[in-house]
Amino acid sequence: QVQLVESGGGLVQPGGSLRLSCAASGSIASINAMGWYRQAPGKQRELVATITGSGSTNYAESVKGRFAISRDNAKNAVYLQMNSLKPEDTAVYYCNAYLRAFWALGPSDYWGQGTQVTVSS
């Protein structure tokens, strides 16, 4: 079994900051990319940021310069530092890992349960 657990969401005022954390655990053989996605009410889930095992990053245009993704390979963890938050950043944020479990022949996508981020005054 593989599990991704997120933490760090909450309510913050516009211009504020939050840091999301996600840890993967279980029968993990290897992790390729990890990342964060978000889904606002009435909208499709969208990519926020991804990071490979070697540290290469990719960001949505809407968050470039404000958000920073990082990763701790030893802990199977990924983080998202969110600064200068805007009301339009309000969404449920989901952690994603593209990993291979011990019992699997190849990697698959795994998702966390989601954490709510609300940006409002």
Side-chain angles (χ1 to χ4, degrees), residues 2-6 22 35-38 45-47 93-99 108-114:
V2 173
Q3 192 175 20
L4 273 63
V5 178
E6 301 123 332
C22 172
W36 292 93
Y37 292 71
R38 67 187 181 187
R45 189 173 298 189
E46 63 176 5
L47 178 148
Y93 283 69
Y94 294 91
C95 174
N96 168 268
Y98 188 60
L99 62 84
S108 298
D109 278 310
Y110 289 82
W111 295 90
Q113 79 285 358

Side-chain angles (χ1 to χ4, degrees), residues 11-34:
L11 172 65
V12 64
Q13 292 186 342
S17 298
L18 279 176
R19 178 177 167 86
L20 304 183
S21 300
C22 172
S25 62
S27 300
I28 300 170
S30 61
I31 300 179
N32 297 359
M34 300 186 80

Side-chain angles (χ1 to χ4, degrees), residues 6-96:
E6 301 123 332
S7 62
L11 172 65
V12 64
Q13 292 186 342
S17 298
L18 279 176
R19 178 177 167 86
L20 304 183
S21 300
C22 172
S25 62
S27 300
I28 300 170
S30 61
I31 300 179
N32 297 359
M34 300 186 80
W36 292 93
Y37 292 71
R38 67 187 181 187
Q39 187 167 18
K43 295 187 177 181
Q44 290 188 331
R45 189 173 298 189
E46 63 176 5
L47 178 148
V48 176
T50 60
I51 184 168
T52 67
S54 60
S56 295
T57 59
N58 180 48
Y59 294 92
E61 285 294 327
S62 60
V63 307
K64 281 183 179 178
R66 301 187 298 122
F67 291 11
I69 189 170
S70 60
R71 178 172 170 174
D72 186 335
N73 291 332
K75 296 181 179 180
N76 289 340
V78 64
Y79 309 96
L80 186 68
Q81 178 66 43
M82 304 185 292
N83 300 324
S84 302
L85 282 160
K86 304 175 181 180
E88 50 263 44
D89 295 317
T90 295
V92 177
Y93 283 69
Y94 294 91
C95 174
N96 168 268

Side-chain angles (χ1 to χ4, degrees), residues 99-108 110:
L99 62 84
R100 186 175 72 81
F102 279 119
W103 66 81
L105 295 177
S108 298
Y110 289 82

